[in-house]
Amino acid sequence: MSKELYTAMEKAPQRATLKALGLTDDELEKPLIAVIAARSEIAPAHMHLDDIVNAVKIGIYAGGGTPIILPSIAVSDGIAAGGVGFKYGLPSRELIADSVETMLIAHGFDGAVFVPNTDTAIAGMLMGAARANIPSVFVTGGPMDSGIFGGKKIGLASMYEGVGKVKCGSMSLDELTQAEAVACPAAGSANGMYAANPLACVLEALGLALAGNGTAPALGSERIRIAKNSGMCVCELVRNADTPKMIINKRSLTNALRLDMALGGSANTVLHIMALAAEYNIAIDLDYVQNISNTTPVLALLMPNGKADMSDFHRAGGVQAVLHELAKKNIVDGALRTVAGCSLTSLYEHAHVTDETVIHKIDNPVSPVGGITVIKGNLAETGAIAMRTSSRTVINGKAKCFDREEEAVEAIYSGRVKRGDVVIIRYEGPKGGPGMREMLPSAAAIVGMGLENDVAIITDGRIPNATRGLVIGHVCPEAADGGKIALVKDGDAVKIDITGGRITLDVPAKELQARQKKLRPKDSNATGWLLRYQNLVTTAAEGAVLKKKF
């Protein structure tokens, strides 16, 4: 593409502009490779990305290309969670996709290496790469090590739960302060299967990242080697004219979903894969996701629902070892091509499980079915998502309703949420929030208060990957669209059956009809970008992408 823009006589003004950057004629004769990095000083996941970018640049030069660095925004979920700022988390995915499309196509780049390290940044870049469709490689920033407190591994999610423990008296404020200083010890994404790491791992299954990308430590030399190899790799892709549309198809997206289920399941990853499918016009709905989960065993259960962290997972064989195990039952398609220039099978065939306490063999799974289940019923007629992380699969409780998460958190901490309650948190969906915040503060508050086995959450917001306990999210239709979650009143009987995949508001139909007539959906009072997002966003069941026609 750059040849078209920069070699003809008529393009002298463009060459002059590039030479103003200090580029030489020799550099301009080589493929121009964008390196799009989400580096910033506001997120530990991104604070070290300059080192990754520099390694990518070395690889691009070694591979015969000319690297050009471009910036990308990325919201720090760890800082934004629990406040108004988190409403910008998921919407930032769309801004990132738009900006990637804009910068790559406007400047005629020949290829791109993407360097994100949060789930929304990864997803946004994936969507933008689909639109630009030039040779592309992903290399994420990698996970951080666990903190150690009281002889146990801890991380960011431990701090949310710690707040609840202080509130109920099972942890002192001094202990919380001590834990705060060591919970996140260095650069990198969170230490377990939270939002960023599942999607970073999925990049390997998609074939868009090199082996080890999802698990190699953020600050290790292996991460630097992966970055250098990624830079060399994209140059080879440019020579062969290999683009994302030659790699991504329904089979590769299915591989991605299977890996996600085998790692315990991530509702965020499901949302992002559905959004990516929409970019490629591939039909993937919640029923398809349910089928994948029902036929994929869980082979590794990492923090927060297991004891192992990302470093343990990496040492045990990582993503490629899991794919190798899945292939033994023919539930992963290894014939698909990858950015490494070989098939997926060629990457995982030499990988093996080295620690069966971290990665289980296929004949001895943690669970015979995946970690995600789709829930339907009169409270979620289009569908909802639950994670199979609770010891309880059936709850018959009384509703306690809140129209924003902050109200729910205050009620939990003040003791107004009791055992047997079903906490309804609504107007937190893509449109109603707007922005579909993760319900991490409320879910963690319930755990911290010791209620995770006795209290359920139902929300049209997102399910945090740090969830422990019974949380049902992504409820569709959402409250802002007139879904029945908006009709629930305090004290209503709610029945949840995870195994049966049903969620029922046990209120007579006539009463619900009467409530529906009186319903006046709440105004979010959104302004600026969030107002535009609110008017353009689709449902969570469609990936919460922006409408293509309006």
Side-chain angles (χ1 to χ4, degrees):
M1 293 177 67
S2 66
K3 297 297 182 186
E4 299 174 9
L5 284 174
Y6 305 131
T7 58
M9 179 275 294
E10 293 83 0
K11 299 300 181 182
Q14 285 80 0
R15 289 193 295 276
T17 303
L18 289 166
K19 287 181 179 180
L21 300 173
L23 294 176
T24 66
D25 286 328
D26 183 60
E27 287 176 304
L28 292 179
E29 290 176 0
K30 297 174 182 178
L32 295 184
I33 310 296
V35 183
I36 302 183
R39 198 268 175 186
S40 74
E41 295 183 350
I42 193 60
H46 294 148
M47 61 186 282
H48 66 305
L49 293 189
D50 279 349
D51 292 335
I52 309 298
V53 167
N54 288 334
V56 170
K57 288 176 63 177
I58 291 170
I60 291 172
Y61 279 126
T66 298
I68 306 288
I69 311 304
L70 302 175
S72 172
I73 65 167
V75 172
S76 172
D77 291 352
I79 294 174
V84 173
F86 209 12
K87 293 186 177 188
Y88 288 87
L90 183 60
S92 73
R93 183 187 69 182
E94 311 305 315
L95 294 176
I96 293 167
D98 288 349
S99 62
V100 165
E101 173 192 359
T102 299
M103 294 300 285
L104 292 183
I105 296 177
H107 300 104
F109 283 103
D110 298 291
V113 177
F114 297 92
V115 189
N117 211 28
T118 59
D119 68 306
T120 48
I122 296 170
M125 290 183 185
L126 280 169
M127 293 162 67
R131 299 174 194 173
N133 196 39
I134 61 175
S136 300
V137 179
F138 282 73
V139 51
T140 55
M144 70 170 66
D145 290 331
S146 295
I148 303 295
F149 181 73
K152 296 181 179 180
K153 295 178 179 179
I154 65 170
L156 182 60
S158 309
M159 300 310 301
Y160 282 101
E161 294 178 5
V163 173
K165 291 178 180 179
V166 171
K167 294 279 188 180
C168 71
S170 62
M171 185 180 196
S172 70
L173 179 58
D174 183 60
E175 288 174 321
L176 181 67
T177 302
Q178 292 177 45
E180 173 188 314
V182 299
C184 302
S189 54
N191 61 330
M193 275 296 160
Y194 302 112
N197 293 328
L199 204 55
C201 289
V202 156
L203 288 169
E204 294 187 44
L206 283 173
L208 290 177
L210 300 182
N213 173 78
T215 57
L219 300 181
S221 57
E222 184 177 359
R223 177 65 50 183
I224 299 300
R225 293 194 297 272
I226 291 172
K228 289 180 180 178
N229 286 330
S230 296
M232 290 185 278
C233 179
V234 75
C235 295
E236 186 65 21
L237 292 174
V238 170
R239 282 188 283 272
N240 295 328
D242 285 337
T243 67
K245 287 186 178 178
M246 297 177 179
I247 294 173
I248 301 300
N249 51 45
K250 192 164 187 175
R251 292 155 61 203
S252 60
L253 291 175
T254 300
N255 279 347
L257 285 169
R258 288 207 182 276
L259 176 69
D260 186 58
M261 299 306 167
L263 298 179
S266 162
N268 274 314
T269 299
V270 169
L271 190 75
H272 295 319
I273 289 177
M274 294 178 75
L276 184 60
E279 293 291 342
Y280 286 95
N281 295 314
I282 296 171
I284 289 181
D285 59 17
L286 290 178
D287 291 335
Y288 191 79
V289 171
Q290 181 68 76
N291 180 62
I292 296 299
S293 185
N294 287 344
T295 55
T296 307
V298 176
L299 301 183
L301 201 58
L302 308 180
M303 295 176 69
N305 296 304
K307 295 181 179 180
D309 63 10
M310 292 302 295
S311 295
D312 297 325
F313 182 44
H314 184 64
R315 288 191 292 268
V319 169
Q320 299 302 320
V322 173
L323 292 175
H324 193 178
E325 289 300 312
L326 293 176
K328 292 177 180 178
K329 296 292 186 181
N330 296 315
I331 53 176
V332 67
D333 189 340
L336 298 175
R337 65 198 301 178
T338 71
V339 294
C342 60
S343 69
L344 190 61
T345 298
S346 298
L347 296 180
Y348 66 62
E349 64 182 347
H350 300 299
H352 298 283
V353 176
T354 61
D355 186 344
E356 293 184 37
T357 66
V358 178
I359 302 175
H360 289 224
K361 293 295 188 72
I362 192 74
D363 292 324
N364 180 37
V366 178
S367 167
V369 294
I372 291 286
T373 186
V374 175
I375 305 291
K376 292 186 178 182
N378 70 343
L379 251 184
E381 293 166 315
T382 310
I385 287 178
M387 296 176 67
R388 295 179 173 125
T389 56
S390 174
S391 58
R392 293 189 64 180
T393 60
V394 176
I395 288 183
N396 295 322
K398 298 295 184 181
K400 192 154 286 185
C401 304
F402 306 94
D403 289 343
R404 56 198 297 266
E405 191 193 25
E406 288 85 346
E407 296 171 0
V409 171
E410 193 278 327
I412 294 166
Y413 284 149
S414 67
R416 288 186 286 124
V417 172
K418 308 293 185 182
R419 298 185 189 279
D421 284 343
V422 176
V423 175
I424 306 291
I425 307 177
R426 57 201 176 195
Y427 294 101
E428 290 286 5
K431 180 178 178 180
M436 202 180 182
R437 295 189 293 181
E438 287 184 21
M439 300 296 103
L440 176 55
S442 52
I446 284 175
V447 173
M449 297 291 282
L451 299 172
E452 66 268 27
N453 292 321
D454 302 292
V455 172
I457 293 177
I458 298 173
T459 179
D460 50 12
R462 283 188 286 162
I463 304 175
N465 281 54
T467 296
R468 290 193 291 143
L470 185 52
V471 182
I472 298 172
H474 302 221
V475 168
C476 292
E478 61 173 294
D481 278 334
K484 288 188 173 58
I485 189 172
L487 306 181
V488 187
K489 293 184 176 181
D490 286 350
D492 283 349
V494 178
K495 298 179 180 179
I496 301 170
D497 180 359
I498 297 296
T499 304
R502 302 298 296 174
I503 176 173
T504 305
L505 176 60
D506 195 8
V507 173
K510 286 186 177 181
E511 170 62 18
L512 290 178
Q513 290 172 1
R515 294 182 189 180
Q516 192 85 54
K517 290 179 180 180
K518 296 179 181 179
L519 179 64
R520 298 294 181 270
K522 294 185 179 298
D523 188 347
S524 69
N525 297 313
T527 59
W529 156 233
L530 288 184
L531 179 59
R532 296 198 301 276
Y533 178 85
Q534 183 178 59
N535 286 310
L536 293 173
V537 71
T538 61
T539 70
E542 299 169 279
V545 296
L546 300 187
K547 298 173 184 176
K548 293 184 178 180
K549 295 181 180 180
F550 47 89

